[in-house]
Structure formats: C-alpha cells, structure tokens
Amino acid sequence: MPQLFRRPALPAGLTLGPGERLLARAESEAGPIAATTRHLVLPADGGFHAIGWEKVERATWSRDDDQLVVVETAPLGAEPRRHRVGLGEATRFLDVVREQVQASVVISRHVPIVDGRGVRVSGRRPPGQRNLSWVVAVDPGIDLDDMAVRARIESALAQVRAEVE
C-alpha cells in the first residue's frame, strides 16, 4: 500500500526533547529549519537556535526577497531579536509556523495608555504547560522613562491577567 503522507526527516544534529515531535522542515540558505511541537528551530553558527512558540512575537513572509522574518518577544523596553531566513518556496512550512504561533496565544489585548497610543498585552502558553508567559509590546512614542506611564502599563498588565487568571 503506498504511503500517502511522509514525515519529514529530522535535520542532522537536531535533537528533540521527550515527547517533542517534528511537524515540518524546510531548507534555507543557511541550512535546515524545523517546526516542532515546542519550537521554531533556525540555523545558527553551525548549530541551531530553538525559539519556543510562546516566544515568537511574529513570523512573517517577505515576498520581496523570499525570506521568513521572525521576531522574538523581548522584555519591556528591550529591543526584540530579529531573524531573517531565506527559504524560497515553503508554503507548508509557513502554514505550520502560523498555526503554532496562533495556538500559543491565549489572550491578546491592546490597552490605551496615553494619547491613543498604548500597549499590547499578550498571555502565551508554552506547549504542554499550564502557566502563561506574559508579554507587553509598546506602541511607538510611549515614554518608558515616565513613571506614570510605567504605572499605567503595570495596571494594563494586571487588568488583562485578571481576565484569565
């Protein structure tokens, strides 16, 4: 009987944790990339850089240069780490990445802070865990050095957390 669906092969040198499964794999200019049940795995310095799905702020496709652009979440006020990976055509892989990122989001709310600008508070769940990871993304123009603004941001975080905890 012919095999209709073939599982992707694990990239050489990549090991998975207990219970973790490979969902998709694609070839990039820098080496293989993988999507597992717990991580987005990118090539890095002859090895791999694994990003938990709850830590992927966004993953977008740049049609201009056929690259996957991945932005990792960062602590309040810190610059997020960005990755660009040339993929060519990898539609199935991109679909898996989108699904995994969306599946990690439990709640996401934009809360106004000052003059129409605000923060996006997101509660993300790491695969297989109960506790949420909280991320606050700040709109451009918000002054994080202003203590009153910081207090409003803390209040926004508490407000959104109260919706699910």
Side-chain angles (χ1 to χ4, degrees), residues 6 33 35 38 62 74 111 113 115-116 121 137 142 147 158-159:
R6 183 175 266 194
I33 64 174
R38 295 186 188 147
S62 171
V111 181
I113 299 296
D115 298 331
V121 178
I142 298 286
M147 287 295 134
Q159 171 190 337

Side-chain angles (χ1 to χ4, degrees), residues 1-164:
M1 184 168 194
Q3 187 174 1
L4 297 176
F5 298 103
R6 183 175 266 194
R7 284 208 160 181
L10 193 64
L14 178 62
T15 56
L16 302 180
E20 187 173 15
R21 292 183 354 269
L22 181 65
L23 300 173
R25 172 189 170 152
E27 294 300 322
S28 77
E29 297 165 351
I33 64 174
T36 75
T37 50
R38 295 186 188 147
H39 301 98
L40 173 60
V41 183
L42 304 175
D45 301 323
F48 295 101
H49 175 64
I51 309 165
W53 291 114
E54 76 283 2
K55 301 288 185 195
V56 177
E57 183 173 315
R58 67 182 169 273
T60 56
W61 179 248
S62 171
R63 284 194 164 98
D64 296 338
D65 53 7
D66 291 336
Q67 291 196 339
L68 174 65
V69 180
V70 178
V71 179
E72 291 187 54
T73 61
L76 186 62
E79 190 65 30
R81 187 171 177 189
R82 298 176 189 281
H83 308 272
R84 295 182 72 84
V85 181
L87 284 182
E89 190 65 33
T91 307
R92 165 85 176 108
F93 186 84
L94 298 171
D95 289 342
V96 171
V97 168
R98 186 175 303 111
E99 290 167 6
Q100 293 303 114
V101 170
Q102 288 175 345
S104 75
V105 178
V106 173
I107 189 169
S108 183
R109 298 276 188 272
H110 188 269
V111 181
I113 299 296
V114 63
D115 298 331
R117 292 182 303 266
V119 294
R120 174 151 307 276
V121 178
S122 301
R124 311 272 303 267
R125 179 167 286 126
Q129 296 184 21
R130 288 185 49 86
N131 294 335
L132 297 182
S133 172
W134 290 95
V135 178
V136 178
V138 181
D139 289 347
I142 298 286
D143 182 5
L144 293 176
D145 293 328
D146 182 328
M147 287 295 134
V149 167
R150 285 276 186 163
R152 285 189 216 117
I153 292 172
E154 290 298 322
S155 176
L157 175 59
Q159 171 190 337
V160 175
R161 284 179 81 146
E163 289 185 45
V164 294

